[in-house]
Amino acid sequence: MRLALAGQMGMALLAFASPAHAASAEFAPQPAALVSDEIPDISLDIVEQTRPYMEYRTASFVDWDPASRAMLIATRFADTRQLHRVAAPMAGREQLTFASEPVGSARYAPDGSSLLFQKDSGGNEVNQIYALENGQPKLLTDGKSRNSLGPWSSSGKLVAFGSNKRTGLYNDIYLMNPAHPESARMLVASTGGGWFPIDFSPDDKQLLVFNYVSATENQLYLIDIAEGSLRKLTNSSTPVAYEGLRFAPDGRLWAASDDGSDVKRLGIVNLETSLFEPLIDEKIWDVADFDISPDGRWIAFEVNQAGRSVLKFYDMKSGAVRAVDALPAGVVSGMKFAPWGALGLTLNSNRTGTDAYAIDPDTLTVVRWTKSETGGLDTADNVAPELVEIESFDGEKMSGFLYRPDPAWHQGERPLIINIHGGPEGQATPRFLGRDNYLVNELGIAIFYPNVRGSTGFGKRFVSLDNGPWQRENSVLDIGAFLDHLRRDRKIDPKRIAVTGGSYGGYMTLASMLRYGKRLKAGLETVGISNFVTFLENTQAYRRDLRRAEYGDERIPEQRIKLQEISPLLRASEIKIPLMVVTGANDPRVPASEADQIVSAVRANGRPAWHLLAENEGHGFRKKTNADYQFWASLIFWQKYLLDENRN
């Protein structure tokens, strides 16, 4: 149902019409941690008009409680997401953590006797590991280093985790008895890369660890826990990537891998020869994730079909594969079998919201465990995205998802926002839009999410097409190809198109504003890269080599020159259309200085550059009060620079 659209739209346009409100107007209070620079005050009219779209919740499956058979979820009742326990499908949500920072990653011990979780401070990604004891968090790590919670041992006596406490840079691999955190001991001292513990062998004698080198190269190692020795499993002459590594109860190691293929297939890694034996091949699509039932009977696996999830079950007795047809169309994540056999997962879809589900592998019956509030709005009224497929400038095929306003409510040509994902090894998927459903449903703005070259989900060849400084701008040319296609769409207004994106998508926003400024009205970038050289020099030290593998190495003179050449900051004088920038002061990935310098450069050229900074956020806004205010500020920006048909 729409918000009394006929009357509300007129009020909305009036409220947005000018940044200068009458003296008697009332404004929304700005959160204390936000610094707003050249952004108009937010009228309370805007707050009231958008309120239903602000008051949605989501619920993500986190784990099963083996002791009570309850489901552990992450949802938000105050300002941040916290852990809750749900005793049965559609039962009440019992809140377990009450932190000021979001909590979303947690693991129960195999017998349910202990619950561990991790959280950071202010978005700095310096995670600490805690145990929930008698309803209160108990700190298990040193409170200073960056930690990552790994798997429990099969016995439930030990937990593996990664920590940079030795060097302050790279993750080493540790074991700890959570009941005695002082027992933590280092198993592997790393010298770089992205090391993380994955799974214990069923007999707890070995620990599988993973070293992330790049999106297309991952290295696997087995640690003999008693001896402390390390054996490399990956010996391929070409880079290989893995997803969802798991030991089966019989000791076999399963993996989704692109070894010998362009896409990831599901199969077994031979622990003696290190050879990968694929058993399930989805041809042109990746097997994106999977889990193995505790009795070894079933493997549940997700197939990524151009961004949409198809969930299937593999019967290890018969070899039969069955698809789950009863699951609503959307994106599946976080799959895990319960000890009693049910599969828990999160389903994200614009027409159902984001909630936790369980599936019976025998019958494929789907049971919804949570139904999150959506501000009184019916998610079934939201539009379903359509897949748009094109050929780019060089004939490369690519696609994206278009959320088109309902023509019954919004006739004629509609304004369009192109929203570019980050990563760049990310993927646009058909997800719940949350607040952005207001743009589509009430303001009639179409939103398009492209998957340019370099996106994941389309094979390792495609994800590598933007690697290095000399191929980087080809992904910007892909935006031009999408622009050409969308401008020919009779339901899109070719004179009212804008661009936005976060992180790497922020760079793409700036680059698109430079290259296609005459075809765009405005751009809004969030935590984006403005200069590749300063980004690589100032991102957290542990990330630099990982990012150099993708973007190029600023220490090599010829690459440094090219990285400068393609950096938007060096061409800021050519940005002729309005810009808005959103920043987290504690961002360890893209430092806030990247935003400061592009805002200053654009303003020096006499062009509008709005800036919203959160002093208690990092790589994106995670606190509701901040995210709400960010959305309202962006609404004013889009109204002034995109929707106003009288503005050139």
Side-chain angles (χ1 to χ4, degrees):
M1 148 176 127
R2 300 296 186 268
L3 301 177
L5 195 65
Q8 290 279 13
M9 277 297 294
M11 292 175 60
L13 293 178
L14 180 62
F16 287 129
S18 170
H21 300 289
S24 60
E26 296 183 1
F27 304 115
Q30 181 173 299
L34 293 188
V35 178
S36 179
D37 186 5
E38 295 198 4
I39 297 175
D41 291 332
I42 308 297
S43 165
L44 285 179
D45 288 339
I46 295 172
V47 175
E48 289 307 311
Q49 290 158 21
T50 60
R51 186 177 300 281
Y53 289 89
M54 304 293 105
E55 299 307 322
Y56 72 92
R57 292 191 179 98
T58 63
S60 300
F61 170 79
V62 177
D63 202 356
W64 292 104
D65 180 353
S68 67
R69 291 198 169 199
M71 181 182 281
L72 185 70
I73 65 167
T75 190
R76 177 196 55 73
F77 273 79
D79 202 32
T80 59
R81 288 165 60 83
Q82 299 296 316
L83 298 176
H84 294 68
R85 184 164 48 209
V86 181
M90 309 307 288
R93 292 154 290 191
E94 176 194 0
Q95 189 164 344
L96 301 179
T97 60
F98 299 85
S100 59
E101 299 294 343
V103 179
S105 177
R107 295 178 188 259
Y108 271 108
D111 63 358
S113 61
S114 180
L115 175 62
L116 306 184
F117 65 92
Q118 67 180 36
K119 69 179 181 70
D120 70 357
S121 177
N124 64 4
E125 301 184 18
V126 181
N127 286 305
Q128 303 303 318
I129 299 174
Y130 298 80
L132 192 66
E133 292 189 357
N134 300 316
Q136 298 299 314
K138 175 186 176 182
L139 181 64
L140 301 182
T141 45
D142 61 12
K144 300 177 292 184
S145 58
R146 187 186 69 254
N147 302 275
S148 50
L149 177 61
W152 284 90
S153 63
S154 303
S155 67
K157 296 179 180 178
L158 298 172
V159 68
F161 67 102
S163 179
N164 73 343
K165 65 180 181 179
R166 180 179 62 90
T167 64
L169 294 175
Y170 308 117
N171 257 14
D172 299 325
I173 306 298
Y174 288 79
L175 279 185
M176 171 176 62
N177 178 349
H180 302 283
E182 70 280 2
S183 68
R185 63 186 178 95
M186 187 173 63
L187 287 179
V188 174
S190 72
T191 57
W195 288 74
F196 188 77
I198 299 295
D199 200 11
F200 284 88
S201 61
D203 60 7
D204 283 343
K205 292 182 178 180
Q206 297 182 101
L207 176 65
L208 178 71
V209 296
F210 175 99
N211 181 24
Y212 179 95
V213 178
S214 71
T216 56
E217 183 178 2
N218 315 147
Q219 298 169 351
L220 305 182
Y221 295 82
L222 272 180
I223 301 174
D224 184 302
I225 295 174
E227 296 181 1
S229 58
L230 186 70
R231 179 165 67 91
K232 189 176 182 181
L233 283 179
T234 43
N235 294 308
S236 174
S237 58
T238 58
V240 175
Y242 297 89
E243 293 284 352
L245 294 143
R246 299 283 189 280
F247 278 107
D250 62 8
R252 291 186 298 173
L253 177 60
W254 286 78
S257 175
D258 60 14
D259 191 355
S261 170
D262 187 52
V263 297
K264 294 184 180 72
R265 301 174 292 177
L266 184 60
I268 298 169
V269 178
N270 188 305
L271 298 181
E272 299 301 323
T273 66
S274 300
L275 296 177
F276 176 68
E277 179 188 353
L279 295 179
I280 295 176
D281 187 345
E282 292 290 330
K283 306 306 180 186
I284 63 172
W285 305 120
D286 276 340
V287 174
D289 193 14
F290 69 93
D291 195 29
I292 304 173
S293 63
D295 63 3
R297 171 72 185 277
W298 305 101
I299 296 183
F301 64 97
E302 176 208 350
V303 183
N304 180 342
Q305 295 187 356
R308 301 181 191 272
S309 294
V310 175
L311 181 61
K312 297 184 179 183
F313 282 85
Y314 172 60
D315 186 337
M316 286 205 266
K317 279 188 177 180
S318 68
V321 175
R322 296 174 298 157
V324 182
D325 298 324
L327 198 65
V331 180
V332 167
S333 62
M335 297 186 296
K336 184 175 181 180
F337 277 102
W340 51 93
L343 179 74
L345 55 85
T346 304
L347 178 71
N348 187 322
S349 168
N350 202 40
R351 304 195 76 178
T352 62
T354 302
D355 275 300
Y357 292 74
I359 300 175
D360 184 322
D362 289 298
T363 64
L364 301 188
T365 302
V366 177
V367 178
R368 187 169 185 168
W369 273 65
T370 62
K371 185 173 174 58
S372 298
E373 297 83 351
T374 51
L377 301 171
D378 187 350
T379 55
D381 290 338
N382 292 334
V383 300
E386 60 185 76
L387 183 67
V388 174
E389 298 176 294
I390 69 162
E391 288 189 4
S392 193
F393 67 96
D394 57 356
E396 190 69 40
K397 293 180 180 179
M398 54 195 61
S399 61
F401 289 97
L402 177 61
Y403 292 75
R404 197 188 293 272
D406 187 341
W409 293 90
H410 302 284
Q411 293 81 32
E413 295 179 333
R414 306 313 311 161
L416 171 70
I417 296 173
I418 299 175
N419 192 322
I420 308 169
H421 68 71
E425 308 98 333
Q427 185 181 22
T429 56
R431 292 177 173 269
F432 177 54
L433 292 186
R435 296 173 182 82
D436 284 345
N437 273 312
Y438 181 84
L439 302 179
V440 179
N441 294 346
E442 308 300 335
L443 299 186
I445 300 173
I447 306 179
F448 178 65
Y449 294 84
N451 279 313
V452 298
R453 70 192 64 210
S455 302
T456 54
F458 303 93
K460 61 186 177 185
R461 184 194 66 85
F462 190 83
V463 79
S464 301
L465 289 178
D466 67 342
N467 286 358
W470 283 275
Q471 295 191 101
R472 179 61 45 203
E473 290 194 304
N474 286 342
S475 58
V476 184
L477 296 177
D478 293 337
I479 295 297
F482 279 118
L483 263 175
D484 291 341
H485 177 86
L486 294 165
R487 283 166 59 90
R488 291 193 296 267
D489 189 316
R490 294 184 179 180
K491 296 180 182 179
I492 299 295
D493 185 347
K495 296 181 180 179
R496 289 191 294 168
I497 300 178
V499 63
T500 188
S503 190
Y504 175 73
Y507 155 73
M508 289 288 289
T509 295
L510 295 170
S512 297
M513 293 171 71
L514 283 166
R515 188 173 288 271
Y516 307 114
K518 292 183 178 179
R519 290 191 269 172
L520 298 171
K521 295 277 284 183
L524 191 163
E525 69 102 330
T526 302
V527 297
I529 300 167
S530 61
N531 183 331
F532 283 108
V533 171
T534 56
F535 159 71
L536 290 167
E537 290 175 339
N538 295 316
T539 191
Q540 288 291 301
Y542 73 92
R543 303 184 71 253
R544 287 178 193 154
D545 285 341
L546 300 174
R547 294 296 78 200
R548 285 166 178 150
E550 169 66 34
Y551 296 124
D553 192 333
E554 84 289 358
R555 298 167 300 181
I556 300 173
E558 58 269 26
Q559 292 195 34
R560 186 183 185 92
I561 292 170
K562 186 62 180 180
L563 286 166
Q564 293 276 26
E565 180 185 319
I566 64 174
S567 294
L569 181 66
L570 278 297
R571 298 173 54 197
S573 61
E574 300 173 38
I575 294 178
K576 306 298 183 183
I577 57 178
L579 170 67
M580 178 173 171
V581 177
V582 178
T583 317
N586 302 322
D587 192 340
R589 304 186 186 198
V590 180
S593 54
E594 290 296 302
D596 295 338
Q597 60 193 16
I598 192 66
V599 168
S600 296
V602 171
R603 287 178 180 172
N605 196 39
R607 299 295 176 179
W610 298 11
H611 191 192
L612 185 65
L613 170 72
E615 296 177 332
N616 62 345
E617 300 277 15
H619 200 61
F621 288 11
R622 303 181 302 173
K623 297 179 172 66
K624 182 180 185 300
T625 50
N626 293 341
D628 285 350
Y629 201 90
Q630 174 190 349
F631 182 77
W632 294 325
S634 71
L635 278 183
I636 298 175
F637 182 78
W638 294 134
Q639 174 56 34
K640 182 172 183 178
Y641 295 117
L642 174 64
L643 299 186
D644 187 349
E645 298 185 54
N646 297 319
R647 181 178 292 273
N648 294 325

